Every structure is written in structure tokens, then in C-alpha cells.
Amino acid sequence: MTVSLEQLYRCHFAVDLGAARTRVYVKGLGLAVDEPSAAAVNTRTGALIAVGELAEKMTGRTPEHIRVVRPICGGSVVDIEMAQRMLRHLLGDKLRRTLRRKPRLRAAICTPHDADPLARRAAVETLVGLGARRVEMVDTLIAAAVGCGLPVEQPEATMVIVCGTASTQIAVLSLGAIVTSVRVPVGGEAVDNAVVQHLRQQHALLLPSQTVRPLQLALRGNGLTPHGPERTEIHGRDVTTGLARSVEVETAAVRNAIHTPLTGLLDGISKVLRDCPPDLVADLAERGIMMVGGSARLPGLDTMLSEATGMPVHTAERPDVCAVQGLGAMMEGKIQPMVLDPTGS
């Protein structure tokens, strides 16, 4: 763990800055913010027009002088000033006044395990601009594992897969630390793009991906398994004429298109298991793999991974908020470190 539980217990709020959604947990209040990581800006005046859900709805529908920006990319802050402005508006005046009254305001934030020093500094500066006097950083993998109830502090192997928008993090944890991990540049966006490209190339159909998630259209029921519907009707725009058109596509073909980017995910799992000590792999054979993150809801993904690895694969009850809930649990003192007593007294 990057920081001790005692330091986290002193924090007043926690932030999970994701490429898709931003979440803020306030000590004593719970999850206070859960909004898309988007902001609409007037390029002529520099004024912030909307943030969160409203800015997300504006994507692809704005005039020339309004631009929808995403200050978070791949779990890292790429525009510190815009990220601060977005967070201020998401928190609201009332919540910000409450936090300002805290003496020596402390914050915690999730960071990818392999984040470089510049990405970590950008995350810290973002929260310092909100008034935090001290910022504690926690690995997203550990926070997510705690949030879904895994016993990360025990001398037992727990394997967690954080399925993000731009990338996927895979790790084996034991004794509150990461034993081995890998980050794969395959996430929800790659899967969505595979569906969009398949429909464009095979059916000359341009899918309105900004208004409706492609997977929600193309994959109903058990989308990644053969037990789903054979054909699905898709509405979109004809590439040639630009007119609205509907086509019926075979879900088997869509499954094949999706499997292509997911092979990188399987390679990442294999690498982590190869680098893991044999005793911990034996634990995983019985306990299995836990999937968290917004993209873990992909229909049939758990079944596909289970068949490929031969291990049970589980999806957290609320996979999208596991990381921030894990930070909240550590701030509230709900997680206690394992105490060793060598004297036996």
C-alpha cells in the first residue's frame, strides 16, 4: 500500500478521477459525487458552461464555440486547471464550504500502480488547488480490492482486475501489497470501438456512439456467450447517404469483433500468473478472480475469462464504485491491518 492506514484515517475526503466518471467520497457523508468526467467550455470567453451529466449529453451536439473536454485520460490528469474547475462545480458550494472548515484539510486519491511521477504530481496538484493541505495516494488496485470486500491484508492471494475505460489493471495482492501486476491498454473504449468499426466496415452503418453505448445496442442478454439472441437490430446513419438506417446484425459476428481487443486482456492475465509465486497461484485456483471497474459489466466477460483461465471469475456487486468505496472504508477506519504477535502473549 502506498500510504499507511493511519494517514488515511486522518483524511477528510477521497477522490477517484476516472477517464469516464469522477467520484468523491466525503468522510461521514459517503459517496457525494458520481458524475461523468466531462466539462463544456465556451471557447470565446473561457467560461465553464456545464459539467458532469449535462456536459456528457452535450458531446457531439455543440456549436463551434462550445467544446466538451475531458481533463482525465487513462486515469491521469492531463489538464490540471480544467480538472480543478470541474471538481469545484461537481462538489458544489455547500460541500466545499463544509470541507473548508476542516483544519488542515487532507485528501486521498486513487492512482494507477504504474503511474509515472508527472501523473502523480498532477493528481496531487489538482487536489491542492481545491484546498487540500496534504494529499495521500493509494494504488487503485488496492483501493478497489478493499472496496469489493477482498481480504487484502491477509497472507492469502487475491487477484483483482480493474476494467477501466482506457486500460485494464491486473494484479495479485497479498499482505496489503501488490505482488505482481500489469497494465493492459485495453478497456471499455477499445471494446466499443471494435463494435463501431465492425458495423462501419461490414454494414456501412455509423453508430451514434455518443448518444447510446454501442454495447447496450449490440449486446443484449448474454452478449459474449452463444446463448444470447442470434440477431439484433441496430439503428444508425448510413455512411454513404448520411440518412438514418436500421440493419439486423448477427451477434456472433459482433462477438468475434469484440474478442479481438480482449485477447490483450487474456495475455495480461497469463503474464501476471506466470510472475506470481506458485503458493499464491494455488490460492487463486480456489478463490478465483474478482473483476471491478465500469467495464466489468460487459455481458459475458466473466464467463469468457473463466473459460480461458480455468478459474472462477466473479464481478463485484457495484464494480464501478469499488475504488472510491475502498478509499472511504480506509478513511472511516473500517479496515484494520493484520497485527503480528511473535511472543504469543
Side-chain angles (χ1 to χ4, degrees):
M1 188 176 295
T2 312
V3 65
S4 70
L5 290 172
E6 182 181 354
Q7 290 172 313
L8 284 173
Y9 184 69
R10 299 174 182 174
C11 292
H12 302 98
F13 71 103
V15 179
D16 177 17
L17 290 174
R21 299 185 74 87
T22 293
R23 300 176 177 92
V24 180
Y25 186 102
V26 179
K27 192 172 185 178
L29 296 178
L31 188 61
V33 174
D34 186 2
E35 296 276 348
S37 303
V41 184
N42 188 325
T43 56
R44 295 174 182 170
T45 63
L48 196 62
I49 298 173
V51 295
E53 292 284 356
L54 184 55
E56 182 82 2
K57 292 178 181 178
M58 291 182 180
T59 306
R61 296 186 172 93
T62 59
E64 291 185 0
H65 67 283
I66 296 178
R67 186 165 58 99
V68 177
V69 297
R70 296 182 178 275
I72 320 296
C73 181
S76 301
V77 179
V78 294
D79 188 336
I80 296 175
E81 181 184 356
M82 187 55 64
Q84 291 174 347
R85 294 175 68 184
M86 182 185 72
L87 276 171
R88 288 193 194 100
H89 282 78
L90 290 177
L91 287 171
D93 293 336
K94 182 178 179 182
L95 192 53
R96 278 188 291 139
R97 283 196 299 267
T98 302
L99 292 175
R100 281 200 204 101
R101 287 195 286 265
K102 305 288 185 182
R104 292 191 61 81
L105 183 64
R106 289 173 176 248
I109 189 169
C110 291
T111 56
H113 178 63
D114 58 350
D116 57 74
L118 285 177
R120 293 176 181 271
R121 181 177 177 180
V124 171
E125 288 186 4
T126 300
L127 298 192
V128 168
L130 294 178
R133 301 289 296 276
R134 185 182 175 94
V135 179
E136 311 291 356
M137 291 183 289
V138 180
D139 283 321
T140 303
L141 291 161
I142 294 179
V146 171
C148 61
L150 294 178
V152 295
E153 73 280 0
Q154 298 298 321
E156 303 171 359
T158 54
M159 188 171 186
V160 61
I161 300 178
V162 181
C163 305
T165 302
S167 62
T168 298
Q169 300 177 70
I170 309 164
V172 174
L173 314 176
S174 180
L175 288 173
I178 296 173
V179 179
T180 177
S181 69
V182 69
R183 191 178 184 184
V184 182
V186 175
E189 285 181 352
V191 176
D192 288 355
N193 290 335
V195 177
V196 171
Q197 291 301 318
H198 170 76
L199 294 174
R200 186 186 182 99
Q201 295 171 4
Q202 301 298 323
H203 301 277
L205 192 73
L206 189 61
L207 203 63
S209 57
Q210 299 296 345
T211 55
V212 183
R213 285 292 300 269
L215 295 177
Q216 294 176 349
L217 282 173
L219 299 176
R220 296 194 181 109
N222 298 320
L224 283 179
T225 65
H227 307 295
E230 292 184 1
R231 303 184 70 84
T232 302
E233 186 177 8
I234 304 293
H235 306 280
R237 188 179 71 181
D238 191 281
V239 174
T240 306
T241 64
L243 301 176
R245 184 163 66 92
S246 300
V247 297
E248 278 199 358
V249 299
E250 295 183 358
T251 52
V254 178
R255 282 200 301 271
N256 292 335
I258 287 176
H259 275 289
T260 301
L262 291 180
T263 53
L265 183 59
L266 297 175
D267 292 341
I269 294 175
S270 299
K271 183 180 185 304
V272 167
L273 292 176
R274 285 196 304 269
D275 296 342
C276 190
D279 290 343
L280 295 182
V281 175
D283 291 344
L284 295 174
E286 179 181 353
R287 178 164 296 166
I289 303 170
M290 178 65 74
M291 289 199 310
V292 300
S295 300
R297 298 181 183 273
L298 181 64
L301 178 59
D302 52 351
T303 304
M304 189 199 77
L305 293 182
S306 180
E307 292 175 353
T309 61
M311 294 188 295
V313 178
H314 314 283
T315 304
E317 185 176 352
R318 295 190 63 191
D320 51 339
V321 297
C322 281
V324 73
Q325 292 284 15
L327 283 179
M330 289 185 276
M331 283 197 310
E332 303 278 6
K334 296 178 181 178
I335 306 298
Q336 299 296 328
M338 188 179 68
V339 178
L340 300 178
D341 187 5
T343 63
S345 57

